[in-house]
Amino acid sequence: SIVILLCCCIIGIHGFTQHPWELTGEYQHGFGKNYNVNILGPRYEVYSNKSSWSLGITYTFSSQGTKGNIEKGNGIGVYAGYRYGLSYGISGDLFGGIRTAFTFSKDGNGKRYSLFTPSFETGYHYTSQDFGKGGVFTPFVSLGYDVKLNPDDQSKASHKGIVVAPGMTIGYRF
């Protein structure tokens, strides 16, 4: 948790300089071997040359097991990420990046569990004003791996393994 706090401070200090930044809402639908999950939350992203750093808070709602597994649950999470612009168009760019997320959830029976999810992501970042102030829209897809942080817990949640999470952000660039 000290690493996340340190990253937040560095990104925040860096973001309040003269670099453009965005405030967006983000939605992801993750699915893996044993579950489907919907994630929603605010996202802050600051840009420097061809790269960006991001921070976000997430709420996981209605995670539901698949293949006869009746577990359901919800929780909150935080993430930090880095994206690099690979190709620039007139009003957008193709990017690749990495993200690290921590999720603190409970299953349908009220048992708590925590996940660590490192992931790679790619997508296209559209801007309405040729990278100036204005609306932004970013469809993307993440490929990650869920690691249960407390493997000896009594939760029946089996959220461990590869997860694919297409998503999108919509917001404003300042």
Side-chain angles (χ1 to χ4, degrees), residues 122-146:
T122 188
Y124 198 85
H125 182 251
Y126 294 97
T127 62
S128 64
Q129 300 293 324
D130 296 330
F131 299 102
K133 292 181 180 181
V136 294
F137 173 69
T138 307
F140 64 93
V141 64
S142 296
L143 175 64
Y145 191 85
D146 281 343

mmCIF file of all heavy atoms in Angstrom, residues 122-146:
data_model
loop_
_atom_site.group_PDB
_atom_site.id
_atom_site.type_symbol
_atom_site.label_atom_id
_atom_site.label_comp_id
_atom_site.label_asym_id
_atom_site.label_seq_id
_atom_site.Cartn_x
_atom_site.Cartn_y
_atom_site.Cartn_z
ATOM 1 N N THR A 122 -4.157 -2.427 -24.600
ATOM 2 C CA THR A 122 -3.984 -1.712 -25.858
ATOM 3 C C THR A 122 -5.331 -1.145 -26.268
ATOM 4 O O THR A 122 -6.377 -1.660 -25.877
ATOM 5 C CB THR A 122 -3.401 -2.620 -26.959
ATOM 6 O OG1 THR A 122 -3.091 -1.821 -28.094
ATOM 7 C CG2 THR A 122 -4.358 -3.733 -27.337
ATOM 8 N N GLY A 123 -5.292 -0.066 -27.031
ATOM 9 C CA GLY A 123 -6.535 0.552 -27.471
ATOM 10 C C GLY A 123 -6.255 1.773 -28.322
ATOM 11 O O GLY A 123 -5.126 2.000 -28.765
ATOM 12 N N TYR A 124 -7.299 2.560 -28.544
ATOM 13 C CA TYR A 124 -7.168 3.789 -29.330
ATOM 14 C C TYR A 124 -7.797 4.926 -28.550
ATOM 15 O O TYR A 124 -8.927 4.827 -28.086
ATOM 16 C CB TYR A 124 -7.835 3.645 -30.698
ATOM 17 C CG TYR A 124 -7.363 4.689 -31.671
ATOM 18 C CD1 TYR A 124 -6.198 4.491 -32.399
ATOM 19 C CD2 TYR A 124 -8.055 5.887 -31.821
ATOM 20 C CE1 TYR A 124 -5.732 5.459 -33.286
ATOM 21 C CE2 TYR A 124 -7.599 6.846 -32.701
ATOM 22 C CZ TYR A 124 -6.436 6.638 -33.432
ATOM 23 O OH TYR A 124 -5.980 7.594 -34.296
ATOM 24 N N HIS A 125 -7.058 6.014 -28.409
ATOM 25 C CA HIS A 125 -7.477 7.172 -27.626
ATOM 26 C C HIS A 125 -7.934 8.276 -28.594
ATOM 27 O O HIS A 125 -7.125 8.870 -29.289
ATOM 28 C CB HIS A 125 -6.288 7.638 -26.779
ATOM 29 C CG HIS A 125 -6.587 8.779 -25.888
ATOM 30 N ND1 HIS A 125 -6.098 10.037 -26.111
ATOM 31 C CD2 HIS A 125 -7.330 8.856 -24.757
ATOM 32 C CE1 HIS A 125 -6.520 10.835 -25.169
ATOM 33 N NE2 HIS A 125 -7.275 10.136 -24.334
ATOM 34 N N TYR A 126 -9.250 8.518 -28.642
ATOM 35 C CA TYR A 126 -9.813 9.558 -29.507
ATOM 36 C C TYR A 126 -9.937 10.869 -28.730
ATOM 37 O O TYR A 126 -10.385 10.870 -27.589
ATOM 38 C CB TYR A 126 -11.224 9.175 -29.979
ATOM 39 C CG TYR A 126 -11.273 7.974 -30.872
ATOM 40 C CD1 TYR A 126 -11.569 6.717 -30.349
ATOM 41 C CD2 TYR A 126 -11.037 8.090 -32.235
ATOM 42 C CE1 TYR A 126 -11.626 5.606 -31.159
ATOM 43 C CE2 TYR A 126 -11.093 6.977 -33.055
ATOM 44 C CZ TYR A 126 -11.384 5.737 -32.513
ATOM 45 O OH TYR A 126 -11.446 4.647 -33.312
ATOM 46 N N THR A 127 -9.579 11.986 -29.371
ATOM 47 C CA THR A 127 -9.774 13.303 -28.771
ATOM 48 C C THR A 127 -10.602 14.159 -29.718
ATOM 49 O O THR A 127 -10.488 14.036 -30.936
ATOM 50 C CB THR A 127 -8.432 14.011 -28.496
ATOM 51 O OG1 THR A 127 -7.749 14.209 -29.726
ATOM 52 C CG2 THR A 127 -7.568 13.194 -27.548
ATOM 53 N N SER A 128 -11.429 15.038 -29.160
ATOM 54 C CA SER A 128 -12.324 15.840 -29.996
ATOM 55 C C SER A 128 -11.666 17.099 -30.544
ATOM 56 O O SER A 128 -12.156 17.682 -31.493
ATOM 57 C CB SER A 128 -13.580 16.218 -29.208
ATOM 58 O OG SER A 128 -13.233 17.043 -28.124
ATOM 59 N N GLN A 129 -10.581 17.532 -29.981
ATOM 60 C CA GLN A 129 -9.968 18.801 -30.386
ATOM 61 C C GLN A 129 -8.493 18.643 -30.756
ATOM 62 O O GLN A 129 -7.669 19.472 -30.384
ATOM 63 C CB GLN A 129 -10.105 19.824 -29.253
ATOM 64 C CG GLN A 129 -11.523 20.137 -28.862
ATOM 65 C CD GLN A 129 -12.267 20.861 -29.959
ATOM 66 O OE1 GLN A 129 -11.691 21.682 -30.675
ATOM 67 N NE2 GLN A 129 -13.539 20.561 -30.124
ATOM 68 N N ASP A 130 -8.153 17.608 -31.500
ATOM 69 C CA ASP A 130 -6.761 17.386 -31.900
ATOM 70 C C ASP A 130 -5.796 17.495 -30.725
ATOM 71 O O ASP A 130 -4.839 18.251 -30.746
ATOM 72 C CB ASP A 130 -6.352 18.344 -33.013
ATOM 73 C CG ASP A 130 -7.138 18.122 -34.281
ATOM 74 O OD1 ASP A 130 -7.537 16.973 -34.525
ATOM 75 O OD2 ASP A 130 -7.370 19.090 -35.020
ATOM 76 N N PHE A 131 -6.070 16.761 -29.669
ATOM 77 C CA PHE A 131 -5.252 16.678 -28.464
ATOM 78 C C PHE A 131 -5.319 17.938 -27.598
ATOM 79 O O PHE A 131 -4.557 18.092 -26.674
ATOM 80 C CB PHE A 131 -3.789 16.338 -28.781
ATOM 81 C CG PHE A 131 -3.652 15.015 -29.472
ATOM 82 C CD1 PHE A 131 -3.435 14.939 -30.828
ATOM 83 C CD2 PHE A 131 -3.759 13.843 -28.752
ATOM 84 C CE1 PHE A 131 -3.318 13.721 -31.458
ATOM 85 C CE2 PHE A 131 -3.648 12.617 -29.378
ATOM 86 C CZ PHE A 131 -3.423 12.553 -30.743
ATOM 87 N N GLY A 132 -6.256 18.847 -27.883
ATOM 88 C CA GLY A 132 -6.467 20.013 -27.027
ATOM 89 C C GLY A 132 -7.556 19.712 -26.016
ATOM 90 O O GLY A 132 -7.995 18.576 -25.856
ATOM 91 N N LYS A 133 -8.031 20.763 -25.336
ATOM 92 C CA LYS A 133 -9.110 20.599 -24.364
ATOM 93 C C LYS A 133 -10.368 20.134 -25.069
ATOM 94 O O LYS A 133 -10.677 20.589 -26.162
ATOM 95 C CB LYS A 133 -9.368 21.906 -23.638
ATOM 96 C CG LYS A 133 -8.253 22.322 -22.727
ATOM 97 C CD LYS A 133 -8.581 23.609 -22.015
ATOM 98 C CE LYS A 133 -7.437 24.007 -21.115
ATOM 99 N NZ LYS A 133 -7.724 25.243 -20.384
ATOM 100 N N GLY A 134 -11.092 19.224 -24.445
ATOM 101 C CA GLY A 134 -12.330 18.735 -25.036
ATOM 102 C C GLY A 134 -12.604 17.299 -24.653
ATOM 103 O O GLY A 134 -11.899 16.700 -23.838
ATOM 104 N N GLY A 135 -13.629 16.728 -25.277
ATOM 105 C CA GLY A 135 -14.046 15.372 -24.962
ATOM 106 C C GLY A 135 -13.059 14.318 -25.433
ATOM 107 O O GLY A 135 -12.337 14.504 -26.415
ATOM 108 N N VAL A 136 -13.033 13.206 -24.723
ATOM 109 C CA VAL A 136 -12.177 12.070 -25.074
ATOM 110 C C VAL A 136 -12.979 10.781 -24.963
ATOM 111 O O VAL A 136 -13.920 10.682 -24.179
ATOM 112 C CB VAL A 136 -10.922 11.987 -24.178
ATOM 113 C CG1 VAL A 136 -10.011 13.167 -24.415
ATOM 114 C CG2 VAL A 136 -11.276 11.868 -22.712
ATOM 115 N N PHE A 137 -12.592 9.803 -25.757
ATOM 116 C CA PHE A 137 -13.213 8.485 -25.747
ATOM 117 C C PHE A 137 -12.122 7.466 -26.037
ATOM 118 O O PHE A 137 -11.356 7.634 -26.994
ATOM 119 C CB PHE A 137 -14.314 8.404 -26.806
ATOM 120 C CG PHE A 137 -14.880 7.018 -26.977
ATOM 121 C CD1 PHE A 137 -15.635 6.436 -25.979
ATOM 122 C CD2 PHE A 137 -14.644 6.302 -28.140
ATOM 123 C CE1 PHE A 137 -16.161 5.159 -26.127
ATOM 124 C CE2 PHE A 137 -15.162 5.034 -28.301
ATOM 125 C CZ PHE A 137 -15.928 4.461 -27.294
ATOM 126 N N THR A 138 -12.029 6.421 -25.216
ATOM 127 C CA THR A 138 -10.966 5.434 -25.387
ATOM 128 C C THR A 138 -11.496 4.013 -25.239
ATOM 129 O O THR A 138 -11.730 3.553 -24.124
ATOM 130 C CB THR A 138 -9.851 5.655 -24.345
ATOM 131 O OG1 THR A 138 -9.408 7.008 -24.401
ATOM 132 C CG2 THR A 138 -8.680 4.725 -24.585
ATOM 133 N N PRO A 139 -11.686 3.292 -26.354
ATOM 134 C CA PRO A 139 -11.960 1.859 -26.245
ATOM 135 C C PRO A 139 -10.627 1.121 -26.082
ATOM 136 O O PRO A 139 -9.620 1.492 -26.697
ATOM 137 C CB PRO A 139 -12.623 1.522 -27.573
ATOM 138 C CG PRO A 139 -12.134 2.564 -28.523
ATOM 139 C CD PRO A 139 -11.822 3.784 -27.719
ATOM 140 N N PHE A 140 -10.607 0.089 -25.247
ATOM 141 C CA PHE A 140 -9.365 -0.650 -25.016
ATOM 142 C C PHE A 140 -9.683 -2.072 -24.593
ATOM 143 O O PHE A 140 -10.819 -2.416 -24.284
ATOM 144 C CB PHE A 140 -8.507 0.041 -23.948
ATOM 145 C CG PHE A 140 -9.140 0.085 -22.589
ATOM 146 C CD1 PHE A 140 -8.882 -0.901 -21.654
ATOM 147 C CD2 PHE A 140 -10.000 1.109 -22.245
ATOM 148 C CE1 PHE A 140 -9.470 -0.874 -20.412
ATOM 149 C CE2 PHE A 140 -10.593 1.158 -20.995
ATOM 150 C CZ PHE A 140 -10.330 0.167 -20.076
ATOM 151 N N VAL A 141 -8.650 -2.903 -24.576
ATOM 152 C CA VAL A 141 -8.778 -4.264 -24.061
ATOM 153 C C VAL A 141 -7.543 -4.574 -23.217
ATOM 154 O O VAL A 141 -6.429 -4.170 -23.554
ATOM 155 C CB VAL A 141 -8.960 -5.300 -25.197
ATOM 156 C CG1 VAL A 141 -7.738 -5.374 -26.096
ATOM 157 C CG2 VAL A 141 -9.319 -6.664 -24.643
ATOM 158 N N SER A 142 -7.770 -5.233 -22.083
ATOM 159 C CA SER A 142 -6.690 -5.620 -21.174
ATOM 160 C C SER A 142 -6.594 -7.137 -21.115
ATOM 161 O O SER A 142 -7.602 -7.836 -21.170
ATOM 162 C CB SER A 142 -6.968 -5.110 -19.761
ATOM 163 O OG SER A 142 -6.985 -3.720 -19.715
ATOM 164 N N LEU A 143 -5.378 -7.617 -20.983
ATOM 165 C CA LEU A 143 -5.124 -9.033 -20.775
ATOM 166 C C LEU A 143 -4.273 -9.140 -19.517
ATOM 167 O O LEU A 143 -3.168 -8.593 -19.462
ATOM 168 C CB LEU A 143 -4.392 -9.646 -21.969
ATOM 169 C CG LEU A 143 -3.958 -11.108 -21.808
ATOM 170 C CD1 LEU A 143 -5.192 -12.010 -21.672
ATOM 171 C CD2 LEU A 143 -3.117 -11.536 -22.991
ATOM 172 N N GLY A 144 -4.812 -9.794 -18.494
ATOM 173 C CA GLY A 144 -4.103 -9.858 -17.228
ATOM 174 C C GLY A 144 -4.220 -11.206 -16.564
ATOM 175 O O GLY A 144 -4.765 -12.161 -17.124
ATOM 176 N N TYR A 145 -3.710 -11.252 -15.343
ATOM 177 C CA TYR A 145 -3.745 -12.486 -14.564
ATOM 178 C C TYR A 145 -4.123 -12.139 -13.129
ATOM 179 O O TYR A 145 -3.432 -11.362 -12.468
ATOM 180 C CB TYR A 145 -2.386 -13.184 -14.593
ATOM 181 C CG TYR A 145 -2.435 -14.576 -14.023
ATOM 182 C CD1 TYR A 145 -2.798 -15.647 -14.833
ATOM 183 C CD2 TYR A 145 -2.145 -14.816 -12.689
ATOM 184 C CE1 TYR A 145 -2.856 -16.929 -14.319
ATOM 185 C CE2 TYR A 145 -2.202 -16.098 -12.163
ATOM 186 C CZ TYR A 145 -2.559 -17.145 -12.988
ATOM 187 O OH TYR A 145 -2.628 -18.415 -12.472
ATOM 188 N N ASP A 146 -5.234 -12.691 -12.650
ATOM 189 C CA ASP A 146 -5.666 -12.482 -11.269
ATOM 190 C C ASP A 146 -4.869 -13.385 -10.336
ATOM 191 O O ASP A 146 -4.787 -14.590 -10.551
ATOM 192 C CB ASP A 146 -7.152 -12.820 -11.101
ATOM 193 C CG ASP A 146 -8.064 -11.722 -11.595
ATOM 194 O OD1 ASP A 146 -7.590 -10.581 -11.762
ATOM 195 O OD2 ASP A 146 -9.252 -11.997 -11.803
#
